[in-house]
Amino acid sequence: MPATTAPPAAQQRALSASESALAATGTPLIISHRLHGPLDRAALARAVDDLTRQHPVLTCRITHQDRDQNQNQDQDQDQGGKEVAYLRHDPRLPAPHLTEHTDFETATAPFPADAPLFRVTLLTESADRHQVVLAVAHALSDGTSCLALFNELWTRYTVHATSSDPELPSPAAPLPLAVEDHFRARFSAQDITDFLAELRTTATTAPAPERLPAQAATEDGPDPGTGSHLRHLHLDPTQTQHFTRTAAEARTTPHAVLCGLALLAVRDQLTSQDRAVRDQLTPQDRAVRDQLTPQDRAVRLGCLTPVDLRPRMAPALPRDHLVFAAATTEAVLDVHPEDTPVDLGRQVWHQLRAALTDGRLDRAIAALPQLMHEIAAAPMSIVVSSLGARARTFPLPPGLTAEPLWGYSPPPGPLPALFSVGTPDGGLTLLLVLPRAWYTPEQAQGLADGLGHHLRQLVETPPQTRVPRTPASPGAGAA
């Protein structure tokens, strides 16, 4: 009898602490753009199949096992709780394919447990107008590798649409090593213990940042609504150049100034709510409130910044290597009524630069298994990501054109987020994201209006230079 070939064996590895946190909520990374012209559906479907063959991790599932059943669990990967989350690659399971005949909410929904972690959806609006939405589980990817994957999708599409004999490179490994493992190897157990003691001492003495109230939530918790409120703002190439030049002349970065804009918009929302409450009080109560909470008070706010870890590794990790290779660091500062985005940008950059150069970020990544509870409980005001700010054009065959792409990852809790993505003409698209489970449409629009107001002032009127206030001390708990 002829010998039979055994089916390929399944492989799995335990998720790291950060991967597990993202997997628990099914958080997706989403990139999308609208296309004009004739679209070859078959070529797009083949391009999606190419991605799953080239990147076997896109066919993985996330599974859970009882901790007692896994006696070989690596102590460094201890995630707490009774279950251990695993990334499992089983070649016998079907790979994801191109999805059609659905809607945007389904295309961008969180990934359920034990289900495919990758989807590409084609939303047809007319015969020559389509929207393509790529979503990949955040536990598998980050902004850098997701953009590279989107670029690869359209590279493969163009090959299929114009060539009859496309070639594929060798596939990547199905289970990439967790990035946290690279950083943990740099530090001793005593290094991590000392770092945790330092962080926790600072955390007990520093006042917590304020954040927007979750007005969509009820006493029973977040509203059951899904999805996010999305608000777009756009800078044309001239405005973007002015924005970038303003940051450079102030000896800070465009990202730090963007953080300053976001913090001013959050302050506007918080103080407007203060005024609304004050206006409903009697004159006597209003006088007491003004003594306790002055209308022109400084508001302590915190801004989270995602950091691409790939350049910090040796050797540097390629942009197209699909793994979660990002961390966040924070800037916490007091925002005054007279502050400008440039003032705040200088302070933000001072704190971010310190975290990136003094080793604090690297130690925080190595200590993530012990820090996850503190990170989850730490209040922040907004997250601002510029990882896509350098995105430009994607390859497309003749006759097919694309509008500027945009991308985001919906925050899993009560935290607004601002994402910036570069456009082919040198402009900048800003996408403000507020989860519907926590925030109302009015809050989303109010924050977008405030951001737009400060942005217009910055790019249309040269800001006045002032001596910056002494930067606040960096906040604790950079992750």
Side-chain angles (χ1 to χ4, degrees):
M1 296 179 63
T4 58
T5 302
Q11 305 174 54
Q12 68 179 22
R13 71 158 172 85
L15 294 180
S16 68
S18 57
E19 291 171 337
S20 293
L22 292 166
T25 57
T27 302
L29 273 166
I30 298 158
I31 296 184
S32 178
H33 64 185
R34 184 168 280 104
L35 299 163
H36 299 270
L39 181 72
D40 187 334
R41 285 177 167 80
L44 183 58
R46 288 195 294 270
V48 173
D49 294 343
D50 285 351
L51 294 187
T52 58
R53 284 192 293 266
Q54 175 64 21
H55 302 282
V57 70
L58 295 175
T59 69
C60 285
R61 309 290 196 274
I62 291 175
T63 62
H64 295 81
Q65 292 182 17
D66 188 88
R67 184 175 297 276
D68 296 335
Q69 296 177 358
N70 182 22
Q71 301 300 325
N72 297 321
Q73 171 70 14
D74 186 345
Q75 294 302 313
D76 285 341
Q77 295 285 349
D78 188 0
Q79 302 161 6
K82 295 182 179 180
E83 286 191 332
V84 180
Y86 284 87
L87 183 63
R88 182 177 178 82
H89 176 253
D90 189 340
R92 297 165 296 184
L93 294 177
H97 299 290
L98 178 66
T99 300
E100 295 189 70
H101 312 300
T102 186
D103 56 26
F104 182 79
E105 295 297 329
T106 304
T108 58
F111 291 96
D114 201 20
L117 303 172
F118 171 65
R119 69 173 79 99
V120 177
T121 305
L122 175 62
L123 304 174
T124 298
E125 300 172 357
S126 67
D128 60 354
R129 181 183 170 97
H130 306 81
Q131 184 176 359
V132 174
V133 183
L134 182 149
V136 60
H138 210 337
L140 303 185
S141 183
D142 50 35
T144 299
S145 57
C146 192
L147 282 166
L149 188 67
F150 199 68
N151 182 81
E152 191 174 348
L153 172 69
W154 291 109
T155 298
R156 299 306 308 170
Y157 170 85
T158 301
V159 167
H160 283 294
T162 59
S163 172
S164 59
D165 189 23
E167 294 184 4
L168 272 177
S170 300
L175 296 176
L177 181 67
V179 167
E180 288 165 36
D181 293 344
H182 294 274
F183 286 86
R184 241 191 320 274
R186 301 180 184 178
F187 302 97
S188 68
Q190 189 60 49
D191 289 334
I192 299 304
T193 298
D194 294 344
F195 174 68
L196 291 171
E198 175 188 338
L199 280 185
R200 287 164 180 162
T201 298
T202 306
T204 59
T205 58
E210 296 186 39
R211 57 184 179 184
L212 293 179
Q215 294 181 354
T218 65
E219 294 180 356
D220 298 325
D223 185 88
T226 59
S228 302
H229 304 292
L230 305 179
R231 300 292 187 272
H232 292 255
L233 297 95
H234 181 68
L235 294 181
D236 63 32
T238 300
Q239 292 172 321
T240 302
Q241 289 175 6
H242 183 90
F243 180 78
T244 303
R245 186 170 59 251
T246 298
E249 291 172 351
R251 296 186 178 182
T252 183
T253 67
H255 171 78
V257 175
L258 190 60
C259 290
L261 287 161
L263 291 172
L264 283 173
V266 172
R267 186 191 187 282
D268 289 348
Q269 283 289 95
L270 289 171
T271 54
S272 67
Q273 292 164 6
D274 283 349
R275 287 192 296 271
V277 172
R278 179 182 181 276
D279 291 344
Q280 297 176 11
L281 300 176
T282 64
Q284 294 81 1
D285 289 342
R286 194 178 303 161
V288 173
R289 179 183 175 85
D290 289 346
Q291 292 183 33
L292 298 175
T293 309
Q295 294 186 68
D296 59 351
R297 67 186 177 98
V299 180
R300 191 163 184 83
L301 299 176
C303 180
L304 277 179
T305 291
V307 177
D308 183 7
L309 299 179
R310 296 164 193 273
R312 304 178 71 83
M313 300 173 66
L317 204 62
R319 295 173 62 86
D320 60 355
H321 186 75
L322 276 176
V323 69
F324 178 66
T328 56
T329 188
E330 65 190 38
V332 179
L333 50 149
D334 296 322
V335 182
H336 296 74
E338 69 274 14
D339 282 331
T340 70
V342 171
D343 294 333
L344 299 175
R346 290 192 185 100
Q347 297 183 61
V348 168
W349 175 232
H350 172 84
Q351 295 189 31
L352 294 184
R353 181 174 54 189
L356 294 173
T357 57
D358 66 5
R360 192 172 355 125
L361 177 64
D362 293 0
R363 287 183 293 164
I365 298 164
L368 271 175
Q370 299 95 320
L371 274 176
M372 288 309 297
H373 177 73
E374 284 94 334
I375 293 170
M380 278 288 118
S381 309
I382 193 165
V383 57
V384 179
S385 173
S386 298
L387 294 184
R390 295 181 181 179
R392 289 294 183 256
T393 58
F394 291 95
L396 291 173
L400 191 62
T401 60
E403 295 181 13
L405 69 90
W406 45 273
Y408 69 100
S409 179
L415 181 66
L418 180 64
F419 298 86
S420 65
V421 179
T423 62
D425 61 358
L428 196 64
T429 294
L430 304 179
L431 181 62
L432 185 64
V433 182
L434 284 81
R436 291 194 190 115
W438 302 97
Y439 300 109
T440 65
E442 292 76 19
Q443 286 181 291
Q445 191 58 50
L447 194 59
D449 290 344
L451 183 64
H453 168 73
H454 292 291
L455 191 59
R456 284 190 299 273
Q457 284 191 324
L458 182 68
V459 299
E460 294 176 3
T461 304
Q464 295 180 352
T465 302
R466 295 199 297 114
V467 177
R469 185 178 293 104
T470 302
S473 300

